[in-house]
Amino acid sequence: MNTYGENIKFSIFGESHGVGIGGVIDGIGAGEKIDFEKIDFLLKRRNHRASYSTQRSEPDKYEILSGIVDGVTTGAPIGFIIKNQDTKSNHYSVLSEIMRPSHSDYPAYVKYNGFNDVRGGGHFSGRITAPLVIAGGFTKDILSKKGVNIISHVIQIGDIKGESLLNKEIDDKLIEKLNSSYFPVLDDNLKEKFMEEIEKTRCDLNSVGGVVEVVITGLDAGCGEPFFSSVESRLASMLFSVPAVKGVEFGLGFDIASKKGYDANDFYYYDENKNVKTKTNNNGGILGGITNGMPIVLRVAIKPTASIFKEQETINVKTKENVKFSLEGRHDVCIVPRAAVVLECASALAIFDILKNN
């Protein structure tokens, strides 16, 4: 199934080199004014051209089919479509037989008996994240008007790491800076190091992964449910739906396992306005599956792009032979900067879905 949500329903459709891609989101109430300039910029952040990104040139012009009139939601399901334009499918004909290492090709070949669309990765392509950005953009825009902001920054490329926002102050200036950046980072000097690592990898005909940190501010305490509908599980379910995501951690994540209880615990206190806060945020704003009023802080591990130009060992499923294979086409050296906005929008869909039940 290609539908997400409990209190809203979002369905996604299309293939990378098919006629078009799109989605339907049901459950957004009537009377919400959508800022389409913000949606357009989110798409530009996902699809911007750079030395590390695919050179496929798609304008990502979308058409609203239903659910919005004069920029305002009607309460009906919102349907939209993006027509594909810059497709070069000849590079992919061999992939009906040759299975790219660490790509979806082989498991999809088995599941769909070889009938899956291999052009550009078909329905498994990162291109399918464009509808996710549009639908998530709607919810991100609505949430921001309610004081809930979702930001992200690239915290790691390869072995090069930056600082976390886990226990740092997050103000409007920082939110604006990260939301307006094609390559969101806290430190411009760190970006230069990231770019050097990416360029070195590109010259080696290889790819590199990294980590994106997502921060959600403005949520009151008490949102979510324990156990199977915990805020962590709802967010993780959506985030793991984004292609190339291989890990999600909250707060200190795996590092909390090396702490003693006293050092890991987040001590409560009342601020000058008698609001409940914690002195640290090691648990990432979630306790017992429910928000505690502190920012939700999570990190997402993005694997290196599976499609690389180095010669690799693989199999030919038609001849049942072991073969060596060199890829052609247009592929990202590093998808991490472009993935950041996708993860923001994915998080927005999950949070919007959670809040509709609170």
Side-chain angles (χ1 to χ4, degrees), residues 42-48 60 126-127 129-130 338 341-342:
L42 290 171
L43 283 168
K44 287 179 181 177
R45 286 179 60 197
R46 190 204 74 88
N47 195 28
H48 68 276
D60 282 351
R127 172 131 184 80
T129 60
R338 297 175 62 203
V341 66
V342 178

Side-chain angles (χ1 to χ4, degrees), residues 34 72 84 87 127 129 135 210 269 286 297 302 310 320 332 337 347:
I34 302 298
V72 179
N84 291 324
T87 59
R127 172 131 184 80
T129 60
Y269 72 97
I286 306 168
V297 182
I302 306 291
K310 275 182 175 292
K320 299 191 183 303
D332 297 75
S347 298

Side-chain angles (χ1 to χ4, degrees), residues 30 49 53 59 131 133 136 147 163 175 204 210 225 263 288 320:
R49 300 282 293 277
S53 63
V133 168
E163 293 186 0
I175 292 172
D204 192 38
E225 303 290 339
D263 300 315
K320 299 191 183 303

